[in-house]
Amino acid sequence: MAGASLLRLAVAVLAAAVCRNANVAAQTSDMGGYYNYMYAYGSYSSVGGGYYNAAYGKYSQVTGSWSWVYAYASTIGGGMYNSVYGTHGSVTGGWYNRVYRAFGTISGGHSHYVYGYAATVAGGMYCSAYGTASTVGGGWYQKNFGSYATNRCGYYNYVYGSYSTHGGGTSNWIYGRAYATTVGGHNHYTYSYSATVGGGMYNTAYGWNSDDTGNVGITIAGGWYNNAHGGFSTIHGGWDSWVDKPYAVVTGGSYNWNTGYANVIGGGNYNGAYTAWSTIGGGQSNRMYGNHNTIAGGHNSYIYSYASSIGGGMYNSVYGYVGNVGGGKWNRMYNSWGHIGGGYYNWNYSPWSSIGGGTNHWMYGKAYMTIAGGHNHYIYSYAGTIGGGMYNS
Protein backbone atom coordinates (compact mmCIF):
# COMPACT_ATOMS: atom_id res chain seq x y z
CA MET A 1 0.00 0.00 0.00
CA ALA A 2 2.80 2.45 0.89
CA GLY A 3 4.55 1.68 -2.40
CA ALA A 4 1.35 2.28 -4.38
CA SER A 5 0.84 5.64 -2.64
CA LEU A 6 4.36 6.78 -3.43
CA LEU A 7 3.89 5.72 -7.05
CA ARG A 8 0.66 7.74 -7.37
CA LEU A 9 2.36 10.83 -5.84
CA ALA A 10 5.27 10.61 -8.28
CA VAL A 11 2.89 10.35 -11.25
CA ALA A 12 0.93 13.43 -10.07
CA VAL A 13 4.10 15.53 -9.65
CA LEU A 14 5.32 14.52 -13.10
CA ALA A 15 1.96 15.35 -14.71
CA ALA A 16 1.92 18.79 -13.06
CA ALA A 17 5.37 19.56 -14.35
CA VAL A 18 4.45 18.48 -17.90
CA CYS A 19 1.27 20.60 -17.89
CA ARG A 20 3.09 23.61 -16.48
CA ASN A 21 5.83 24.25 -19.05
CA ALA A 22 6.89 22.79 -22.40
CA ASN A 23 10.44 23.40 -23.60
CA VAL A 24 10.49 21.64 -26.95
CA ALA A 25 13.53 23.09 -28.70
CA ALA A 26 17.09 22.32 -27.82
CA GLN A 27 19.07 24.71 -25.66
CA THR A 28 16.06 26.68 -24.47
CA SER A 29 15.46 28.22 -21.07
CA ASP A 30 12.29 28.41 -18.97
CA MET A 31 12.61 30.51 -15.82
CA GLY A 32 9.13 29.80 -14.49
CA GLY A 33 5.45 30.54 -14.86
CA TYR A 34 2.67 28.53 -16.49
CA TYR A 35 2.15 27.20 -20.02
CA ASN A 36 5.26 28.73 -21.51
CA TYR A 37 5.95 27.08 -24.86
CA MET A 38 9.18 27.09 -26.83
CA TYR A 39 8.78 25.07 -29.97
CA ALA A 40 11.24 23.49 -32.40
CA TYR A 41 12.16 26.77 -34.12
CA GLY A 42 12.89 28.51 -30.86
CA SER A 43 16.44 27.33 -30.33
CA TYR A 44 18.41 29.43 -27.87
CA SER A 45 15.16 31.12 -26.81
CA SER A 46 14.07 32.12 -23.35
CA VAL A 47 10.80 32.54 -21.44
CA GLY A 48 11.45 34.49 -18.27
CA GLY A 49 8.15 33.80 -16.54
CA GLY A 50 4.49 34.67 -16.51
CA TYR A 51 1.54 32.87 -18.06
CA TYR A 52 0.81 31.42 -21.48
CA ASN A 53 3.89 32.76 -23.21
CA ALA A 54 5.39 31.31 -26.39
CA ALA A 55 8.79 31.81 -28.04
CA TYR A 56 8.86 30.46 -31.60
CA GLY A 57 11.80 32.43 -32.98
CA LYS A 58 15.42 31.49 -32.59
CA TYR A 59 17.25 33.62 -29.99
CA SER A 60 13.92 35.13 -28.91
CA GLN A 61 12.95 36.13 -25.37
CA VAL A 62 9.58 36.52 -23.64
CA THR A 63 8.80 37.93 -20.20
CA GLY A 64 5.23 38.68 -19.20
CA SER A 65 1.89 36.98 -19.77
CA TRP A 66 -0.08 35.85 -22.81
CA SER A 67 2.71 37.08 -25.06
CA TRP A 68 4.14 35.53 -28.23
CA VAL A 69 7.36 35.93 -30.18
CA TYR A 70 7.37 34.44 -33.69
CA ALA A 71 10.49 36.08 -35.11
CA TYR A 72 14.23 35.65 -35.03
CA ALA A 73 16.12 37.39 -32.19
CA SER A 74 13.07 39.30 -30.97
CA THR A 75 12.09 40.29 -27.45
CA ILE A 76 9.04 40.92 -25.28
CA GLY A 77 10.15 42.48 -22.02
CA GLY A 78 6.91 42.31 -20.09
CA GLY A 79 3.26 43.23 -20.08
CA MET A 80 0.34 41.21 -21.43
CA TYR A 81 -1.05 40.15 -24.79
CA ASN A 82 1.96 41.43 -26.70
CA SER A 83 3.26 39.89 -29.96
CA VAL A 84 6.36 40.27 -32.14
CA TYR A 85 6.37 39.01 -35.75
CA GLY A 86 9.34 40.96 -37.17
CA THR A 87 12.94 39.87 -36.77
CA HIS A 88 14.93 41.79 -34.17
CA GLY A 89 11.68 43.34 -33.02
CA SER A 90 11.01 44.42 -29.47
CA VAL A 91 8.08 45.10 -27.12
CA THR A 92 9.38 46.22 -23.74
CA GLY A 93 6.02 46.28 -21.99
CA GLY A 94 2.42 47.35 -22.04
CA TRP A 95 -0.72 45.60 -23.29
CA TYR A 96 -1.95 44.43 -26.68
CA ASN A 97 1.06 45.71 -28.58
CA ARG A 98 2.11 44.24 -31.97
CA VAL A 99 5.35 44.50 -33.96
CA TYR A 100 5.07 43.13 -37.52
CA ARG A 101 8.26 44.34 -39.24
CA ALA A 102 11.96 43.87 -38.63
CA PHE A 103 13.70 46.07 -36.07
CA GLY A 104 10.39 47.52 -34.93
CA THR A 105 10.03 48.70 -31.33
CA ILE A 106 7.18 49.40 -28.92
CA SER A 107 8.42 50.73 -25.60
CA GLY A 108 5.15 50.51 -23.71
CA GLY A 109 1.58 51.66 -23.61
CA HIS A 110 -1.54 50.02 -24.90
CA SER A 111 -2.81 48.69 -28.25
CA HIS A 112 0.04 49.92 -30.46
CA TYR A 113 1.00 48.56 -33.89
CA VAL A 114 4.29 48.79 -35.76
CA TYR A 115 4.14 47.86 -39.47
CA GLY A 116 7.14 49.86 -40.69
CA TYR A 117 10.72 48.67 -40.87
CA ALA A 118 12.74 49.96 -37.89
CA ALA A 119 9.74 52.01 -36.72
CA THR A 120 9.11 52.96 -33.09
CA VAL A 121 6.14 53.66 -30.81
CA ALA A 122 7.38 54.97 -27.46
CA GLY A 123 4.15 54.95 -25.47
CA GLY A 124 0.59 56.12 -25.22
CA MET A 125 -2.46 54.27 -26.56
CA TYR A 126 -3.75 53.14 -29.96
CA CYS A 127 -0.78 54.47 -31.91
CA SER A 128 0.54 53.00 -35.17
CA ALA A 129 3.75 53.39 -37.18
CA TYR A 130 3.49 52.26 -40.82
CA GLY A 131 6.39 54.21 -42.34
CA THR A 132 9.97 53.03 -42.44
CA ALA A 133 11.99 54.32 -39.47
CA SER A 134 9.06 56.46 -38.34
CA THR A 135 8.49 57.39 -34.69
CA VAL A 136 5.45 57.95 -32.51
CA GLY A 137 6.58 59.48 -29.24
CA GLY A 138 3.33 59.02 -27.37
CA GLY A 139 -0.22 60.22 -27.12
CA TRP A 140 -3.47 58.66 -28.31
CA TYR A 141 -4.57 57.45 -31.74
CA GLN A 142 -1.46 58.75 -33.48
CA LYS A 143 -0.66 57.41 -36.97
CA ASN A 144 2.58 57.61 -38.96
CA PHE A 145 2.36 56.57 -42.63
CA GLY A 146 5.39 58.43 -43.98
CA SER A 147 8.95 57.15 -43.86
CA TYR A 148 11.19 58.79 -41.28
CA ALA A 149 8.18 60.71 -39.98
CA THR A 150 7.73 61.76 -36.34
CA ASN A 151 4.62 62.13 -34.23
CA ARG A 152 5.81 63.44 -30.90
CA CYS A 153 2.69 63.59 -28.74
CA GLY A 154 -0.94 64.65 -28.64
CA TYR A 155 -3.83 62.69 -30.07
CA TYR A 156 -5.51 61.96 -33.40
CA ASN A 157 -2.53 63.32 -35.34
CA TYR A 158 -1.71 61.72 -38.72
CA VAL A 159 1.51 61.98 -40.73
CA TYR A 160 1.55 60.82 -44.37
CA GLY A 161 4.56 62.85 -45.51
CA SER A 162 8.09 61.47 -45.33
CA TYR A 163 10.54 63.24 -43.02
CA SER A 164 7.61 65.20 -41.59
CA THR A 165 6.86 66.04 -37.95
CA HIS A 166 3.88 66.61 -35.69
CA GLY A 167 5.06 68.35 -32.54
CA GLY A 168 1.81 67.83 -30.66
CA GLY A 169 -1.73 69.05 -30.51
CA THR A 170 -4.87 67.30 -31.67
CA SER A 171 -6.38 66.21 -34.97
CA ASN A 172 -3.56 67.55 -37.13
CA TRP A 173 -2.85 66.04 -40.57
CA ILE A 174 0.21 66.07 -42.83
CA TYR A 175 -0.58 64.69 -46.28
CA GLY A 176 1.66 63.41 -48.99
CA ARG A 177 4.51 65.90 -49.11
CA ALA A 178 7.86 65.62 -47.34
CA TYR A 179 9.54 67.76 -44.66
CA ALA A 180 6.28 69.27 -43.42
CA THR A 181 5.82 70.32 -39.76
CA THR A 182 3.00 71.11 -37.39
CA VAL A 183 4.19 72.29 -33.99
CA GLY A 184 0.91 72.09 -32.09
CA GLY A 185 -2.61 73.35 -32.01
CA HIS A 186 -5.76 71.79 -33.34
CA ASN A 187 -7.12 70.64 -36.70
CA HIS A 188 -4.30 71.78 -38.95
CA TYR A 189 -3.79 70.43 -42.48
CA THR A 190 -0.52 70.48 -44.41
CA TYR A 191 -0.38 69.33 -48.04
CA SER A 192 2.70 71.19 -49.26
CA TYR A 193 6.37 70.19 -49.35
CA SER A 194 8.42 71.67 -46.48
CA ALA A 195 5.43 73.55 -45.05
CA THR A 196 5.06 74.61 -41.41
CA VAL A 197 2.03 75.29 -39.23
CA GLY A 198 3.15 76.67 -35.88
CA GLY A 199 -0.01 76.59 -33.81
CA GLY A 200 -3.53 77.84 -33.50
CA MET A 201 -6.56 76.06 -34.94
CA TYR A 202 -7.94 75.02 -38.33
CA ASN A 203 -5.01 76.33 -40.38
CA THR A 204 -4.20 74.87 -43.80
CA ALA A 205 -1.01 74.97 -45.89
CA TYR A 206 -1.06 73.41 -49.35
CA GLY A 207 0.22 73.83 -52.89
CA TRP A 208 -2.10 75.49 -55.38
CA ASN A 209 -1.00 73.31 -58.31
CA SER A 210 -1.93 69.65 -58.39
CA ASP A 211 1.73 68.61 -58.59
CA ASP A 212 2.76 71.16 -55.94
CA THR A 213 5.35 72.63 -58.32
CA GLY A 214 7.06 75.59 -56.71
CA ASN A 215 4.63 75.71 -53.80
CA VAL A 216 7.11 74.87 -51.07
CA GLY A 217 8.18 76.45 -47.81
CA ILE A 218 4.75 77.69 -46.76
CA THR A 219 4.48 78.96 -43.16
CA ILE A 220 1.47 79.63 -40.93
CA ALA A 221 2.79 80.82 -37.58
CA GLY A 222 -0.52 80.64 -35.74
CA GLY A 223 -4.03 81.97 -35.58
CA TRP A 224 -7.34 80.45 -36.64
CA TYR A 225 -8.78 79.36 -39.99
CA ASN A 226 -5.87 80.68 -42.04
CA ASN A 227 -5.05 79.25 -45.48
CA ALA A 228 -1.72 79.58 -47.31
CA HIS A 229 -1.23 78.18 -50.83
CA GLY A 230 1.72 79.89 -52.51
CA GLY A 231 5.35 78.83 -52.32
CA PHE A 232 7.29 80.52 -49.49
CA SER A 233 4.16 82.41 -48.50
CA THR A 234 3.51 83.30 -44.86
CA ILE A 235 0.63 84.01 -42.49
CA HIS A 236 1.94 85.14 -39.12
CA GLY A 237 -1.30 85.00 -37.17
CA GLY A 238 -4.80 86.34 -36.99
CA TRP A 239 -7.77 84.48 -38.38
CA ASP A 240 -9.60 83.74 -41.60
CA SER A 241 -6.87 85.11 -43.86
CA TRP A 242 -5.86 83.72 -47.29
CA VAL A 243 -2.56 83.72 -49.15
CA ASP A 244 -2.42 81.90 -52.47
CA LYS A 245 0.56 83.23 -54.43
CA PRO A 246 4.32 82.74 -53.90
CA TYR A 247 6.19 85.00 -51.46
CA ALA A 248 3.01 86.68 -50.28
CA VAL A 249 2.62 87.64 -46.61
CA VAL A 250 -0.20 88.38 -44.17
CA THR A 251 1.17 89.33 -40.76
CA GLY A 252 -2.06 89.37 -38.77
CA GLY A 253 -5.56 90.70 -38.56
CA SER A 254 -8.64 88.98 -39.88
CA TYR A 255 -10.37 88.23 -43.17
CA ASN A 256 -7.46 89.49 -45.23
CA TRP A 257 -7.03 88.17 -48.79
CA ASN A 258 -3.62 88.20 -50.43
CA THR A 259 -3.81 86.66 -53.88
CA GLY A 260 -0.92 88.48 -55.60
CA TYR A 261 2.70 87.50 -56.04
CA ALA A 262 4.97 88.90 -53.28
CA ASN A 263 2.24 91.09 -51.80
CA VAL A 264 2.21 92.09 -48.13
CA ILE A 265 -0.76 92.78 -45.88
CA GLY A 266 0.53 94.03 -42.54
CA GLY A 267 -2.67 93.55 -40.59
CA GLY A 268 -6.10 94.98 -40.20
CA ASN A 269 -9.39 93.50 -41.36
CA TYR A 270 -11.05 92.71 -44.67
CA ASN A 271 -8.12 93.95 -46.75
CA GLY A 272 -7.42 92.56 -50.22
CA ALA A 273 -4.26 92.61 -52.36
CA TYR A 274 -4.98 90.96 -55.71
CA THR A 275 -2.06 91.74 -58.02
CA ALA A 276 1.73 91.72 -57.34
CA TRP A 277 4.51 93.45 -55.37
CA SER A 278 2.05 95.58 -53.43
CA THR A 279 1.56 96.42 -49.75
CA ILE A 280 -1.35 97.15 -47.46
CA GLY A 281 0.01 98.24 -44.10
CA GLY A 282 -3.22 97.82 -42.18
CA GLY A 283 -6.60 99.38 -41.76
CA GLN A 284 -9.89 97.95 -42.90
CA SER A 285 -11.55 97.06 -46.18
CA ASN A 286 -8.75 98.41 -48.38
CA ARG A 287 -8.30 96.95 -51.89
CA MET A 288 -5.34 96.77 -54.25
CA TYR A 289 -5.86 95.84 -57.93
CA GLY A 290 -2.61 97.06 -59.53
CA ASN A 291 1.07 96.13 -59.23
CA HIS A 292 3.68 97.92 -57.07
CA ASN A 293 1.09 99.83 -55.06
CA THR A 294 0.87 100.85 -51.39
CA ILE A 295 -1.98 101.57 -49.02
CA ALA A 296 -0.46 102.45 -45.65
CA GLY A 297 -3.70 102.26 -43.69
CA GLY A 298 -7.10 103.79 -43.34
CA HIS A 299 -10.49 102.54 -44.34
CA ASN A 300 -12.19 101.56 -47.61
CA SER A 301 -9.56 102.88 -49.99
CA TYR A 302 -8.90 101.46 -53.49
CA ILE A 303 -6.02 101.49 -55.95
CA TYR A 304 -6.68 100.33 -59.53
CA SER A 305 -3.42 101.48 -61.13
CA TYR A 306 0.34 100.85 -61.20
CA ALA A 307 2.94 102.16 -58.68
CA SER A 308 0.47 104.33 -56.78
CA SER A 309 -0.12 104.99 -53.09
CA ILE A 310 -2.69 105.99 -50.49
CA GLY A 311 -1.32 107.10 -47.13
CA GLY A 312 -4.51 106.75 -45.10
CA GLY A 313 -7.90 108.25 -44.63
CA MET A 314 -11.21 106.87 -45.82
CA TYR A 315 -12.91 106.12 -49.14
CA ASN A 316 -9.97 107.35 -51.21
CA SER A 317 -9.20 105.99 -54.69
CA VAL A 318 -6.37 106.14 -57.23
CA TYR A 319 -7.05 105.20 -60.88
CA GLY A 320 -3.99 106.67 -62.63
CA TYR A 321 -0.56 105.10 -62.47
CA VAL A 322 2.05 106.66 -60.14
CA GLY A 323 -0.75 108.58 -58.43
CA ASN A 324 -0.92 109.49 -54.78
CA VAL A 325 -3.53 110.37 -52.19
CA GLY A 326 -1.95 111.26 -48.84
CA GLY A 327 -5.09 110.97 -46.76
CA GLY A 328 -8.43 112.58 -46.15
CA LYS A 329 -11.82 111.37 -47.27
CA TRP A 330 -13.56 110.72 -50.58
CA ASN A 331 -10.60 111.91 -52.65
CA ARG A 332 -10.15 110.65 -56.24
CA MET A 333 -6.97 110.63 -58.35
CA TYR A 334 -7.95 109.69 -61.94
CA ASN A 335 -4.88 110.56 -63.99
CA SER A 336 -1.19 109.64 -63.88
CA TRP A 337 1.55 111.27 -61.82
CA GLY A 338 -1.05 113.27 -59.89
CA HIS A 339 -1.28 114.05 -56.20
CA ILE A 340 -3.94 114.84 -53.60
CA GLY A 341 -2.43 115.63 -50.21
CA GLY A 342 -5.56 115.40 -48.12
CA GLY A 343 -8.91 117.04 -47.43
CA TYR A 344 -12.12 115.58 -48.74
CA TYR A 345 -14.19 115.40 -51.91
CA ASN A 346 -11.23 116.45 -54.07
CA TRP A 347 -11.14 115.11 -57.66
CA ASN A 348 -8.05 115.25 -59.83
CA TYR A 349 -8.37 114.27 -63.50
CA SER A 350 -5.13 115.93 -64.66
CA PRO A 351 -1.63 114.43 -65.09
CA TRP A 352 1.30 115.89 -63.17
CA SER A 353 -1.11 118.01 -61.15
CA SER A 354 -1.62 118.49 -57.44
CA ILE A 355 -4.32 119.31 -54.88
CA GLY A 356 -2.70 120.05 -51.55
CA GLY A 357 -5.81 119.85 -49.41
CA GLY A 358 -9.11 121.49 -48.68
CA THR A 359 -12.55 120.42 -49.89
CA ASN A 360 -14.50 120.04 -53.11
CA HIS A 361 -11.75 120.87 -55.58
CA TRP A 362 -11.79 119.78 -59.25
CA MET A 363 -9.03 119.55 -61.86
CA TYR A 364 -9.94 118.69 -65.47
CA GLY A 365 -7.93 117.72 -68.47
CA LYS A 366 -4.77 119.80 -68.52
CA ALA A 367 -1.37 119.12 -66.98
CA TYR A 368 0.83 120.79 -64.34
CA MET A 369 -2.01 122.35 -62.36
CA THR A 370 -2.01 123.20 -58.63
CA ILE A 371 -4.62 123.90 -55.97
CA ALA A 372 -2.93 124.54 -52.63
CA GLY A 373 -6.05 124.47 -50.46
CA GLY A 374 -9.32 126.21 -49.69
CA HIS A 375 -12.80 125.28 -50.81
CA ASN A 376 -14.64 124.62 -54.10
CA HIS A 377 -11.93 125.52 -56.62
CA TYR A 378 -11.95 124.51 -60.32
CA ILE A 379 -9.06 124.49 -62.82
CA TYR A 380 -9.49 123.74 -66.53
CA SER A 381 -6.32 125.32 -67.96
CA TYR A 382 -2.77 124.13 -68.53
CA ALA A 383 -0.35 124.85 -65.64
CA GLY A 384 -2.96 126.87 -63.69
CA THR A 385 -2.59 127.60 -59.97
CA ILE A 386 -5.02 128.48 -57.16
CA GLY A 387 -3.37 129.19 -53.83
CA GLY A 388 -6.42 129.20 -51.53
CA GLY A 389 -9.73 130.85 -50.77
CA MET A 390 -13.14 129.69 -51.97
CA TYR A 391 -15.01 129.20 -55.23
CA ASN A 392 -12.11 130.17 -57.47
CA SER A 393 -11.82 128.88 -61.07
Side-chain angles (χ1 to χ4, degrees):
M1 291 294 291
S5 297
L6 290 173
L7 179 61
R8 284 195 296 273
L9 178 60
V11 170
V13 171
L14 179 61
V18 170
C19 292
R20 180 171 176 269
N21 298 315
N23 299 330
V24 179
Q27 297 178 295
T28 59
S29 174
D30 176 17
M31 303 303 293
Y34 293 89
Y35 297 102
N36 298 316
Y37 293 96
M38 287 176 287
Y39 287 96
Y41 296 102
S43 299
Y44 307 98
S45 298
S46 172
V47 175
Y51 296 85
Y52 298 99
N53 298 307
Y56 295 89
K58 191 174 182 179
Y59 299 105
S60 60
Q61 300 179 31
V62 179
T63 302
S65 298
W66 284 279
S67 297
W68 292 268
V69 173
Y70 298 89
Y72 176 88
S74 294
T75 303
I76 296 177
M80 298 177 66
Y81 304 104
N82 297 310
S83 300
V84 177
Y85 299 86
T87 61
H88 301 280
S90 173
V91 176
T92 60
W95 286 32
Y96 297 100
N97 297 309
R98 302 285 185 271
V99 174
Y100 291 95
R101 290 292 301 276
F103 298 97
T105 302
I106 298 176
S107 295
H110 178 48
S111 299
H112 300 311
Y113 295 85
V114 171
Y115 298 92
Y117 177 87
T120 301
V121 176
M125 295 177 64
Y126 304 103
C127 298
S128 300
Y130 297 84
T132 298
S134 63
T135 302
V136 177
W140 286 28
Y141 297 98
Q142 312 267 55
K143 300 286 186 287
N144 273 8
F145 297 93
S147 298
Y148 304 96
T150 302
N151 222 326
R152 295 187 184 279
C153 57
Y155 58 96
Y156 294 103
N157 296 309
Y158 291 76
V159 180
Y160 292 86
S162 299
Y163 303 95
S164 296
T165 302
H166 275 312
T170 63
S171 302
N172 298 309
W173 297 68
I174 294 177
Y175 287 98
R177 306 302 179 187
Y179 300 102
T181 303
T182 63
V183 177
H186 178 54
N187 279 88
H188 300 310
Y189 297 85
T190 302
Y191 301 85
S192 179
Y193 181 92
S194 191
T196 301
V197 177
M201 297 175 65
Y202 300 99
N203 296 310
T204 303
Y206 59 94
W208 188 258
N209 301 323
S210 60
D211 62 355
D212 210 19
T213 302
N215 292 305
V216 302
I218 296 170
T219 301
I220 299 177
W224 289 26
Y225 297 99
N226 295 308
N227 291 268
H229 309 152
F232 300 102
S233 60
T234 303
I235 298 177
H236 285 294
W239 66 92
D240 275 291
S241 293
W242 287 75
V243 174
D244 69 356
K245 287 295 185 294
Y247 302 101
V249 177
V250 174
T251 61
S254 62
Y255 304 102
N256 294 308
W257 290 70
N258 192 340
T259 62
Y261 183 92
N263 284 336
V264 176
I265 297 178
N269 304 306
Y270 299 98
N271 296 306
Y274 302 102
T275 48
W277 297 288
S278 296
T279 301
I280 297 177
Q284 182 173 335
S285 301
N286 297 305
R287 298 288 186 271
M288 197 95 68
Y289 296 95
N291 296 336
H292 301 283
N293 293 315
T294 302
I295 297 177
H299 176 54
N300 279 87
S301 294
Y302 295 79
I303 295 180
Y304 299 90
S305 61
Y306 173 90
S308 296
S309 64
I310 296 175
M314 299 173 63
Y315 304 102
N316 297 308
S317 301
V318 177
Y319 298 85
Y321 66 86
V322 200
N324 169 256
V325 175
K329 183 177 180 181
W330 296 109
N331 295 307
R332 299 286 185 270
M333 185 66 240
Y334 288 97
N335 218 316
S336 301
W337 302 93
H339 168 73
I340 300 175
Y344 59 95
Y345 294 104
N346 297 308
W347 298 62
N348 188 343
Y349 292 86
S350 303
W352 292 283
S353 296
S354 174
I355 298 176
T359 63
N360 290 93
H361 301 309
W362 297 72
M363 286 185 174
Y364 290 97
K366 304 299 182 180
Y368 304 106
M369 296 184 293
T370 302
I371 297 176
H375 177 58
N376 280 83
H377 299 314
Y378 297 82
I379 296 182
Y380 300 89
S381 63
Y382 180 87
T385 300
I386 298 177
M390 299 174 62
Y391 300 100
N392 296 307
S393 300

